[in-house]
Amino acid sequence: MQVDYHQFYSSRLGRYMEFKSYGHAGKPMIVFPSSGGRFFEYEDFKMIEAIAPFIENGLIRVYTPDSIDAETWLSKFGWPGDRARHHNAYDAYIIEELVPFVRHHANWKGGMIATGCSMGGYHSVNFYFRHPDVFDTVIALSGIYDARFFVGENIGDYDVYINSPVDYLKNMEDNHYLEAYRRGNIIICTGLGLWEEDTIRDTRAMEGILKAKSIPAWIDYWGYDVDHDWPWWRVQMPHFLGRLKEQGKLR
């Protein structure tokens, strides 16, 4: 497997940002880390190993950016709106700096996959629904989709609101966005086991909103023995990639 380390200076964040890429060809998949995770987390927790056949066969090319969660949603300091605006700078880094790099590096012009586990599930859903012109597929595992989890009831600030999928999707009326969602591939999964209480609540909320908007989505609830932990995510990720492959959607 071809594995490369990358870093470049982000003018949006005012720092060097690191990431790795895995593979030689295929549909780009951007993996967001779990809570406060680093760019090497996906490899360290053997997720790359779990999906290696898809990478080695040239079906996907994986990119694992760093997070800045400790300075934004997970920060104990600063007003919620300020933390959200700092996250928006991260959004700009991903969309305006990393995505163009990926398109050039992978020689890819089409839609990409957004994915992640736990906090990465939140990011993948948020990036997918905010940027359907970039991402045509999302695989979110055990995510939180309501910004109140991070900021309490301080949802009135616009920059917080536009990063809370259960809120902005509920009010979405723009047909350009709605039709893009309906054309896309939406997979949102949670287990029903330990430490999944919050993710179950938010997954059910997303299911109801997407159904009300007539947006097709695969909302999947795994068993009561399926916990919020890496061993299950290592099972879920190749399962969903395999289904996308069967449907001819890894292209």
Side-chain angles (χ1 to χ4, degrees):
M1 181 190 300
Q2 180 178 326
V3 181
D4 296 301
Y5 167 83
H6 312 271
Q7 73 163 334
F8 61 77
Y9 184 81
S10 167
S11 61
R12 301 298 185 270
L13 293 173
R15 70 186 73 174
Y16 283 92
M17 294 293 288
E18 300 173 280
F19 59 100
K20 293 181 80 171
S21 63
Y22 304 83
H24 63 281
K27 188 180 184 77
M29 184 171 82
I30 295 181
V31 178
F32 296 96
S34 66
S35 301
R38 296 299 311 278
F39 68 93
F40 44 77
E41 173 190 82
Y42 213 63
E43 180 178 344
D44 285 358
F45 281 102
K46 302 187 182 303
M47 292 294 288
I48 293 296
E49 181 180 322
I51 61 173
F54 299 93
I55 301 172
E56 292 168 345
N57 290 327
L59 294 170
I60 58 172
R61 196 164 187 171
V62 179
Y63 295 83
T64 58
D66 246 337
S67 77
I68 63 166
D69 295 333
E71 305 165 33
T72 58
W73 304 117
L74 302 183
S75 173
K76 302 299 182 184
F77 306 99
W79 293 105
D82 292 336
R83 289 154 57 194
R85 282 180 277 282
H86 194 29
H87 168 78
N88 286 342
Y90 180 73
D91 182 282
Y93 156 68
I94 295 293
I95 299 302
E96 299 172 19
E97 297 179 326
L98 180 65
V99 164
F101 173 92
V102 169
R103 290 203 183 282
H104 177 76
H105 186 256
N107 190 27
W108 187 264
K109 296 180 180 179
M112 302 183 188
I113 303 171
T115 191
C117 311
S118 191
M119 187 78 176
Y122 159 75
H123 284 304
S124 62
V125 159
N126 196 34
F127 274 94
Y128 173 85
F129 285 108
R130 285 188 62 176
H131 303 286
D133 54 326
V134 173
F135 300 102
D136 63 8
T137 302
V138 58
I139 307 173
L141 307 181
S142 300
I144 293 291
Y145 312 116
D146 186 337
R148 291 170 184 82
F149 184 83
F150 310 116
V151 301
E153 293 302 319
N154 297 294
I155 203 74
D157 187 293
Y158 178 74
D159 290 294
V160 175
Y161 168 80
I162 63 169
N163 287 295
S164 186
V166 299
D167 290 289
Y168 65 73
L169 282 175
K170 188 184 302 180
N171 297 321
M172 176 63 69
E173 301 294 342
D174 188 320
N175 280 327
H176 171 77
Y177 280 84
L178 292 172
E179 289 306 315
Y181 302 155
R182 290 166 185 149
R183 291 192 301 269
N185 309 301
I186 301 171
I187 299 171
I188 300 175
C189 176
T190 183
L192 300 175
L194 295 175
W195 315 298
E196 291 282 40
E197 295 85 357
D198 294 315
T199 68
I200 294 167
R201 179 200 63 227
D202 283 11
T203 299
R204 293 199 189 284
M206 288 291 291
E207 181 177 25
I209 293 166
L210 294 171
K211 184 177 293 185
K213 296 290 184 182
S214 300
I215 299 169
W218 182 3
I219 311 295
D220 208 2
Y221 300 93
W222 287 34
Y224 289 96
D225 60 332
V226 179
D227 302 331
H228 188 98
D229 206 355
W230 294 100
W232 281 108
W233 299 330
R234 288 195 291 267
V235 176
Q236 291 168 350
M237 196 63 195
H239 171 74
F240 292 121
L241 286 173
R243 291 294 295 272
L244 290 172
K245 176 188 174 184
E246 291 171 4
Q247 296 167 8
K249 294 179 177 178
L250 293 183
R251 60 188 182 190

